[in-house]
Amino acid sequence: MSGSTESQGGFLSRRGFFRWASSLAAALGAAPLASSAKTLSLSTASSDGEDYYAKLGVPTIINAAGTYTTLTAACMPPEVLAAVQKAALHPVRLHDLQQKAGEYIARRLKCEGAVVTSGASGAISLATAACLQYANNSNILDMPQAVEGMKNQVIVQRAHRYEYDRAMYLCGARVTEVVTLDDYRRACGAGNAVMTNFFNAAEDEDGIAASAQIGREEWLRVAHEYKIPCHLDAAADMPPISNLWKYTGMGFDLVAFSGGKGMRGPQNAGLLLGRKILTDLAHANNNPGDGIGRGMKVAKEQIVGMVAAVDWVLSHTEESMQGDYQKRVDLIANEVKGIRSVRTETVVPKIANHVPHLLIRFDPAVAGVTTGQIVDALRNGTPSIELNPNTGQKPNQGIPADANTLVVGVWMLQPGEDAIVGQRIRAALTKRA
Ligand SMILES: *Cc1c(COP(=O)(O)O)cnc(C)c1O
């Protein structure tokens, strides 16, 4: 541990030492090292740590929205949190941890290679860096500068263009946009493509492109005829749990998942899964080397947290996971039952956020309150509740809402919060809040 933050005058203060020693003891499940630690400590913090949200004046919220990044996405389950806490107590050799964590995750998720990244966006950057090196058969670490004049195109369908294209630009890659199968073949044949990117949620599960013309199978087949590696962005696409091996099993060379969404690992973690030759190159560009991944640092706590999150996910079945979310939906639906004009239904988006969401439809003329007023009442109450942002919106992302529909995302609720959300929505709909 560094003396500089905890010490005064260059040595570790007694207070700092005892706090460290007793937290170590607590983490190891032992009795406090010395009872004098308590009397010596001037801290008013409880042994499980100071509440810095309260200290900083940042209100906590009930997340009835979903895995939104701005709402800090998921909270880690107790098993994952405990693993993170234990990992925080000991330094290790970072390369060893990255290597072993990758091998363990690859084994559990049935692929050749895996990298714990800083998130799905970080995974897309490392995938691009790996594919740039692979295609150019060179060890370029000076991205994006050294990529100029080399093969640098990533082929993407127009309907799959999105904000995460920037995670590829960052490496010096550029996007070749295609619409038709002919466009795609021409782009593949041009000889300057290093990778293709497929935005998984842009296509529905039946393999019928929503607005794109080329489905997953055909996309893969054509790229592989030209020996171009295919990356798939499945960031928000677990559950179903089997998606964690489905797409690598189909033949996608690299697949990215967010760690802090449905997987409930640390928010600043993610996975890049796929062919070992490419995940090895991703490792080579990752921190703490000085490649493009240097600023996407993943600390030992997040690496262990991601591994523990994989174990946590795999300790569930599809049915146990979805059944638990459905129970929350049912509890909240039951709470608003009988309110005049209110109808409820459950929807499960096909890809991305594939979990039960509760729709509460009502008639503002009968209820005497509008969607906007309910959203405000929930947000401004205590504790503050955030509903799913599809509330009051047109159908979007598999959620058929409208102006007079509340959308409740239940999967990020903490134990007991479903009842609070139900009561507060009932109060808002009956104008008691
Ligand atoms: C959330 C998301 C990302 C980014 O994931 P992070 O883990 O936050 O970096 C990338 N792509 C898609 C489709 C996403 O939904």
Side-chain angles (χ1 to χ4, degrees), residues 294-367:
R294 183 65 181 86
M296 305 169 194
K297 193 191 288 168
V298 189
K300 59 187 179 302
E301 293 84 358
Q302 281 75 55
I303 296 175
V304 168
M306 197 63 242
V307 176
V310 167
D311 279 346
W312 178 81
V313 168
L314 297 183
S315 73
H316 289 77
T317 62
E318 247 28 290
E319 295 72 30
S320 71
M321 197 175 259
Q322 299 288 12
D324 188 38
Y325 299 141
Q326 186 64 49
K327 271 189 215 144
R328 302 176 194 180
V329 162
D330 293 343
L331 188 143
I332 298 168
N334 202 43
E335 192 68 45
V336 297
K337 214 164 77 183
I339 301 176
R340 280 181 60 213
S341 90
V342 167
R343 288 169 299 125
T344 60
E345 70 187 86
T346 306
V347 293
V348 180
K350 276 191 172 173
I351 297 191
N353 312 307
H354 178 71
V355 291
H357 289 63
L358 176 64
L359 303 191
I360 303 176
R361 303 189 189 277
F362 69 104
D363 181 348
V366 175

Side-chain angles (χ1 to χ4, degrees), residues 11 18 28 35 54 99 103 148 167 248 277 329 358 418 424 428:
F11 59 92
F18 279 118
L28 296 175
S35 55
Q99 216 60 45
E103 288 167 13
E148 273 171 39
T248 48
I277 192 165
V329 162
L358 176 64
D418 46 2
R424 289 274 301 282

Side-chain angles (χ1 to χ4, degrees), residues 95 283-295:
H95 281 300
H283 271 296
N285 281 279
N286 199 9
N287 75 90
D290 296 320
I292 197 86
R294 183 65 181 86

Side-chain angles (χ1 to χ4, degrees), residues 197-275:
N197 188 43
F198 197 100
F199 174 20
N200 197 43
E203 181 183 323
D204 76 25
E205 190 54 22
D206 309 325
I208 300 161
S211 50
Q213 295 193 12
I214 311 168
R216 286 185 199 85
E217 304 274 2
E218 191 166 44
W219 185 259
L220 275 174
R221 190 167 44 71
V222 172
H224 286 170
E225 275 174 32
Y226 293 89
K227 302 201 175 354
I228 303 168
C230 295
H231 171 264
L232 177 100
D233 177 352
D237 305 347
M238 195 302 298
I241 298 167
S242 57
N243 275 2
L244 292 170
W245 47 87
K246 173 178 168 178
Y247 299 114
T248 48
M250 269 180 82
F252 279 95
D253 304 273
L254 289 168
V255 179
F257 286 96
S258 185
K261 294 183 178 171
M263 298 192 74
R264 292 186 58 188
Q267 193 188 8
N268 56 343
L271 293 175
L272 183 64
L273 308 175
R275 276 169 60 204

Side-chain angles (χ1 to χ4, degrees), residues 127-138:
T128 309
C131 289
L132 279 163
Q133 289 202 346
Y134 182 72
N136 290 293
N137 196 20
S138 85

